[in-house]
């Protein structure tokens, strides 16, 4: 990329600053909301399973990958 000679700061740093602002305002709310919907699933699985708790949690969390496989293309098309 070419630098703008009038500017003393490389333009890429302005892009970085914009990305910092986006991640500062968007990522924390998304992460905190996702934790609200994950904590009951794990509590229910750990309360119901004693012996095979690990495998039950693994199968349950496999839903994340399955959901990503199904919904990621849909969300991409909608965007």
């Amino acid at each position: 990329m070419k630098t703008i000679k009038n500017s003393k700061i490389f333009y890429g740093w302005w892009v970085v600053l914009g990305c910092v602002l986006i991640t500062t305002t968007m990522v924390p709310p998304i992460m905190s909301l996702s934790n609200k919907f994950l904590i009951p699933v794990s509590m229910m699985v750990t309360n119901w399973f004693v012996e095979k708790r690990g495998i039950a949690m693994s199968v349950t969390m496999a839903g994340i990958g399955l959901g990503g496989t199904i919904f990621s293309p849909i969300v991409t098309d909608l965007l």
Side-chain angles (χ1 to χ4, degrees):
M1 276 189 113
K2 295 181 181 180
T3 58
I4 301 172
K5 297 196 180 211
N6 295 337
S7 177
K8 294 183 180 184
I9 299 175
F10 177 61
Y11 189 74
W13 288 113
W14 291 112
V15 173
V16 169
L17 180 64
C19 291
V20 167
L21 290 174
I22 290 171
T23 56
T24 300
T25 56
M26 294 306 296
V27 173
I30 290 170
M31 292 305 226
S32 64
L33 283 175
S34 68
N35 287 333
K36 295 287 183 195
F37 296 107
L38 279 180
I39 299 195
V41 170
S42 63
M43 286 176 56
M44 287 188 333
V45 169
T46 55
N47 284 337
W48 277 95
F49 288 88
V50 177
E51 259 183 56
K52 300 197 180 214
R53 185 178 295 167
I55 194 159
M57 267 314 264
S58 298
V59 171
T60 302
M61 292 302 149
I64 296 171
L66 181 63
T69 303
I70 295 170
F71 291 115
S72 182
I74 294 171
V75 171
T76 302
D77 288 341
L78 290 175
L79 290 175

